[in-house]
mmCIF file of all heavy atoms in Angstrom:
data_model
loop_
_atom_site.group_PDB
_atom_site.id
_atom_site.type_symbol
_atom_site.label_atom_id
_atom_site.label_comp_id
_atom_site.label_asym_id
_atom_site.label_seq_id
_atom_site.Cartn_x
_atom_site.Cartn_y
_atom_site.Cartn_z
ATOM 1 N N GLU L 122 23.081 116.672 273.790
ATOM 2 C CA GLU L 122 24.217 116.129 273.021
ATOM 3 C C GLU L 122 25.335 117.144 272.769
ATOM 4 O O GLU L 122 26.505 116.826 272.930
ATOM 5 C CB GLU L 122 23.703 115.576 271.682
ATOM 6 C CG GLU L 122 24.803 114.962 270.858
ATOM 7 C CD GLU L 122 24.305 114.327 269.556
ATOM 8 O OE1 GLU L 122 23.142 113.844 269.525
ATOM 9 O OE2 GLU L 122 25.070 114.330 268.595
ATOM 10 N N ASN L 123 24.957 118.353 272.367
ATOM 11 C CA ASN L 123 25.984 119.333 272.026
ATOM 12 C C ASN L 123 26.175 120.398 273.099
ATOM 13 O O ASN L 123 26.745 121.456 272.848
ATOM 14 C CB ASN L 123 25.641 119.987 270.685
ATOM 15 C CG ASN L 123 25.674 118.964 269.565
ATOM 16 O OD1 ASN L 123 26.619 118.180 269.469
ATOM 17 N ND2 ASN L 123 24.627 118.931 268.759
ATOM 18 N N GLN L 124 25.663 120.111 274.303
ATOM 19 C CA GLN L 124 25.749 121.108 275.364
ATOM 20 C C GLN L 124 27.032 120.964 276.174
ATOM 21 O O GLN L 124 27.708 119.939 276.135
ATOM 22 C CB GLN L 124 24.531 120.971 276.292
ATOM 23 C CG GLN L 124 23.209 121.280 275.612
ATOM 24 C CD GLN L 124 23.030 122.749 275.287
ATOM 25 O OE1 GLN L 124 23.844 123.579 275.669
ATOM 26 N NE2 GLN L 124 21.963 123.077 274.568
ATOM 27 N N SER L 125 27.313 122.029 276.942
ATOM 28 C CA SER L 125 28.526 122.047 277.770
ATOM 29 C C SER L 125 28.336 121.184 279.015
ATOM 30 O O SER L 125 27.213 120.825 279.383
ATOM 31 C CB SER L 125 28.826 123.475 278.203
ATOM 32 O OG SER L 125 27.807 123.916 279.075
ATOM 33 N N VAL L 126 29.450 120.891 279.667
ATOM 34 C CA VAL L 126 29.431 120.137 280.922
ATOM 35 C C VAL L 126 28.590 120.877 281.966
ATOM 36 O O VAL L 126 27.782 120.274 282.675
ATOM 37 C CB VAL L 126 30.882 119.921 281.435
ATOM 38 C CG1 VAL L 126 30.886 119.294 282.820
ATOM 39 C CG2 VAL L 126 31.660 119.073 280.442
ATOM 40 N N GLU L 127 28.756 122.197 282.015
ATOM 41 C CA GLU L 127 28.036 123.012 283.002
ATOM 42 C C GLU L 127 26.529 122.904 282.783
ATOM 43 O O GLU L 127 25.755 122.777 283.738
ATOM 44 C CB GLU L 127 28.451 124.488 282.910
ATOM 45 C CG GLU L 127 29.878 124.782 283.342
ATOM 46 C CD GLU L 127 30.926 124.313 282.340
ATOM 47 O OE1 GLU L 127 30.567 124.028 281.175
ATOM 48 O OE2 GLU L 127 32.108 124.200 282.732
ATOM 49 N N PHE L 128 26.123 122.953 281.531
ATOM 50 C CA PHE L 128 24.692 122.851 281.204
ATOM 51 C C PHE L 128 24.133 121.523 281.707
ATOM 52 O O PHE L 128 23.073 121.474 282.329
ATOM 53 C CB PHE L 128 24.508 122.966 279.676
ATOM 54 C CG PHE L 128 23.072 122.871 279.226
ATOM 55 C CD1 PHE L 128 22.307 124.016 279.015
ATOM 56 C CD2 PHE L 128 22.473 121.619 279.000
ATOM 57 C CE1 PHE L 128 20.978 123.922 278.592
ATOM 58 C CE2 PHE L 128 21.151 121.521 278.586
ATOM 59 C CZ PHE L 128 20.404 122.676 278.387
ATOM 60 N N VAL L 129 24.847 120.445 281.449
ATOM 61 C CA VAL L 129 24.354 119.110 281.819
ATOM 62 C C VAL L 129 24.357 118.934 283.343
ATOM 63 O O VAL L 129 23.439 118.343 283.906
ATOM 64 C CB VAL L 129 25.163 117.994 281.113
ATOM 65 C CG1 VAL L 129 24.687 116.612 281.535
ATOM 66 C CG2 VAL L 129 25.043 118.147 279.589
ATOM 67 N N ARG L 130 25.367 119.493 284.006
ATOM 68 C CA ARG L 130 25.386 119.447 285.476
ATOM 69 C C ARG L 130 24.140 120.117 286.030
ATOM 70 O O ARG L 130 23.485 119.607 286.934
ATOM 71 C CB ARG L 130 26.614 120.198 286.000
ATOM 72 C CG ARG L 130 27.768 119.301 286.257
ATOM 73 C CD ARG L 130 28.867 120.060 286.988
ATOM 74 N NE ARG L 130 30.129 119.392 286.762
ATOM 75 C CZ ARG L 130 31.273 120.004 286.503
ATOM 76 N NH1 ARG L 130 31.325 121.318 286.440
ATOM 77 N NH2 ARG L 130 32.354 119.298 286.320
ATOM 78 N N ASP L 131 23.836 121.259 285.456
ATOM 79 C CA ASP L 131 22.683 122.018 285.891
ATOM 80 C C ASP L 131 21.390 121.241 285.605
ATOM 81 O O ASP L 131 20.491 121.164 286.435
ATOM 82 C CB ASP L 131 22.695 123.352 285.128
ATOM 83 C CG ASP L 131 21.813 124.369 285.801
ATOM 84 O OD1 ASP L 131 21.881 124.432 287.040
ATOM 85 O OD2 ASP L 131 21.051 125.060 285.088
ATOM 86 N N TYR L 132 21.337 120.654 284.442
ATOM 87 C CA TYR L 132 20.158 119.911 283.982
ATOM 88 C C TYR L 132 19.843 118.754 284.926
ATOM 89 O O TYR L 132 18.727 118.570 285.371
ATOM 90 C CB TYR L 132 20.469 119.364 282.580
ATOM 91 C CG TYR L 132 19.273 119.013 281.730
ATOM 92 C CD1 TYR L 132 18.981 119.756 280.585
ATOM 93 C CD2 TYR L 132 18.459 117.922 282.018
ATOM 94 C CE1 TYR L 132 17.915 119.421 279.774
ATOM 95 C CE2 TYR L 132 17.383 117.592 281.215
ATOM 96 C CZ TYR L 132 17.112 118.343 280.095
ATOM 97 O OH TYR L 132 16.054 118.013 279.292
ATOM 98 N N PHE L 133 20.865 117.959 285.240
ATOM 99 C CA PHE L 133 20.659 116.789 286.105
ATOM 100 C C PHE L 133 20.926 117.083 287.579
ATOM 101 O O PHE L 133 20.911 116.171 288.397
ATOM 102 C CB PHE L 133 21.575 115.636 285.661
ATOM 103 C CG PHE L 133 21.173 114.998 284.366
ATOM 104 C CD1 PHE L 133 22.113 114.749 283.378
ATOM 105 C CD2 PHE L 133 19.860 114.628 284.133
ATOM 106 C CE1 PHE L 133 21.742 114.155 282.168
ATOM 107 C CE2 PHE L 133 19.490 114.022 282.943
ATOM 108 C CZ PHE L 133 20.431 113.799 281.962
ATOM 109 N N GLN L 134 21.217 118.331 287.896
ATOM 110 C CA GLN L 134 21.573 118.727 289.271
ATOM 111 C C GLN L 134 22.688 117.850 289.822
ATOM 112 O O GLN L 134 22.564 117.216 290.876
ATOM 113 C CB GLN L 134 20.341 118.678 290.181
ATOM 114 C CG GLN L 134 19.220 119.589 289.697
ATOM 115 C CD GLN L 134 17.920 119.346 290.445
ATOM 116 O OE1 GLN L 134 17.916 119.106 291.637
ATOM 117 N NE2 GLN L 134 16.799 119.433 289.741
ATOM 118 N N ILE L 135 23.778 117.828 289.073
ATOM 119 C CA ILE L 135 24.950 117.040 289.486
ATOM 120 C C ILE L 135 25.977 117.976 290.113
ATOM 121 O O ILE L 135 26.294 119.019 289.552
ATOM 122 C CB ILE L 135 25.590 116.330 288.265
ATOM 123 C CG1 ILE L 135 24.617 115.304 287.673
ATOM 124 C CG2 ILE L 135 26.912 115.663 288.648
ATOM 125 C CD1 ILE L 135 25.004 114.821 286.298
ATOM 126 N N GLU L 136 26.471 117.582 291.288
ATOM 127 C CA GLU L 136 27.543 118.342 291.950
ATOM 128 C C GLU L 136 28.864 117.726 291.524
ATOM 129 O O GLU L 136 29.052 116.517 291.659
ATOM 130 C CB GLU L 136 27.421 118.219 293.471
ATOM 131 C CG GLU L 136 26.155 118.808 294.049
ATOM 132 C CD GLU L 136 26.343 120.239 294.532
ATOM 133 O OE1 GLU L 136 27.497 120.712 294.503
ATOM 134 O OE2 GLU L 136 25.334 120.854 294.902
ATOM 135 N N SER L 137 29.782 118.566 291.051
ATOM 136 C CA SER L 137 31.089 118.013 290.702
ATOM 137 C C SER L 137 31.870 117.728 291.980
ATOM 138 O O SER L 137 31.880 118.526 292.905
ATOM 139 C CB SER L 137 31.869 119.012 289.847
ATOM 140 O OG SER L 137 33.183 118.549 289.692
ATOM 141 N N ASP L 138 32.525 116.570 292.048
ATOM 142 C CA ASP L 138 33.372 116.280 293.201
ATOM 143 C C ASP L 138 34.848 116.255 292.803
ATOM 144 O O ASP L 138 35.688 115.701 293.489
ATOM 145 C CB ASP L 138 32.958 114.968 293.884
ATOM 146 C CG ASP L 138 32.782 113.817 292.895
ATOM 147 O OD1 ASP L 138 33.041 114.021 291.688
ATOM 148 O OD2 ASP L 138 32.375 112.721 293.322
ATOM 149 N N PHE L 139 35.139 116.869 291.637
ATOM 150 C CA PHE L 139 36.540 117.011 291.224
ATOM 151 C C PHE L 139 37.112 118.279 291.842
ATOM 152 O O PHE L 139 36.402 119.270 292.005
ATOM 153 C CB PHE L 139 36.633 117.162 289.694
ATOM 154 C CG PHE L 139 36.364 115.893 288.934
ATOM 155 C CD1 PHE L 139 35.301 115.825 288.039
ATOM 156 C CD2 PHE L 139 37.190 114.788 289.081
ATOM 157 C CE1 PHE L 139 35.050 114.666 287.314
ATOM 158 C CE2 PHE L 139 36.947 113.630 288.358
ATOM 159 C CZ PHE L 139 35.878 113.565 287.476
#
Side-chain angles (χ1 to χ4, degrees):
Chain L
E122 182 176 330
N123 296 313
Q124 295 290 354
S125 67
V126 173
E127 292 73 16
F128 180 95
V129 178
R130 265 189 203 138
D131 198 43
Y132 201 113
F133 288 133
Q134 301 169 38
I135 296 165
E136 297 265 354
S137 171
D138 48 3
F139 287 119

